[in-house]
Amino acid sequence: MKEPSTPLIDVAIPLPVDDPFSYHVPLDKMSLPRRGARVLVPFKNREILGYVVGTSKENPSLKTKAVSQLLDDGLILDEAMLALTKRISEYYCCSWGEASEIPSACGEGGSPTRSRMVGSRSTCRLTPPYSTRRGKR
C-alpha cells in the first residue's frame, strides 16, 4: 500500500498486456527511477523485470504496489530507443514491454536472461543464414 505523496511511475512489462502498469516508488528505499531504467516489480504472484516508461499523476483511489528494486543507476533505454520501442509495439501489435526487450537481447544494454538470449539470436544476426549469391545452381 502506498503512502500519501509517493511518486508513481509507469512500468512496461515484457508480457502480452495492453498498457503499462503504475507502481509507487518508496523513496526511503531507493531514488526515483528515470525513464528508460529497469526495475523489478511485483506482478501477480512473482517479481518481474520492467522498464520505466513514464510517470503517473497521483490518484488517491488507485491502489498500487511498490517497486521492489531499481536495477540500474543509468539508463538502459534512452528517449530515442523508448520512442522506437513504442512504435514497434504499435506496429507489430505487441506490448511495449515486449518491444523494450529487443535492444537488451541484441546487446544494447542490460543482460537478458539465457532463454531470452537464445530465443533472440536470429533477431540479432547481421547476416542472413542463406547464401545471397546469384548464379547457376
Side-chain angles (χ1 to χ4, degrees), residues 94-132:
C94 64
S95 74
W96 196 354
E98 290 172 313
S100 296
E101 282 209 317
I102 295 169
S104 294
C106 292
E108 282 296 315
S111 56
T113 62
R114 183 182 172 116
S115 61
R116 175 60 68 187
M117 183 61 111
V118 170
S120 299
R121 278 199 183 138
S122 62
T123 306
C124 300
R125 192 175 298 145
L126 297 176
T127 57
Y130 52 84
S131 174
T132 57

Side-chain angles (χ1 to χ4, degrees), residues 68-89:
S68 300
Q69 185 179 356
L70 175 60
L71 297 176
D72 306 299
D73 291 332
L75 299 178
I76 294 299
L77 303 173
D78 61 8
E79 290 298 323
M81 193 60 72
L82 282 170
L84 177 63
T85 56
K86 178 65 175 167
R87 177 73 179 119
I88 288 171
S89 72

Side-chain angles (χ1 to χ4, degrees), residues 2-9 23-27 32 55-56 58:
K2 69 178 175 151
E3 298 172 13
S5 74
T6 55
L8 296 177
I9 58 170
Y23 289 88
H24 68 272
V25 181
L27 293 176
L32 184 65
T55 57
S56 293
E58 187 73 28

Side-chain angles (χ1 to χ4, degrees), residues 44-55:
K44 296 203 177 188
N45 60 350
R46 62 185 172 159
E47 288 193 328
I48 190 167
L49 179 133
Y51 299 88
V52 178
V53 295
T55 57

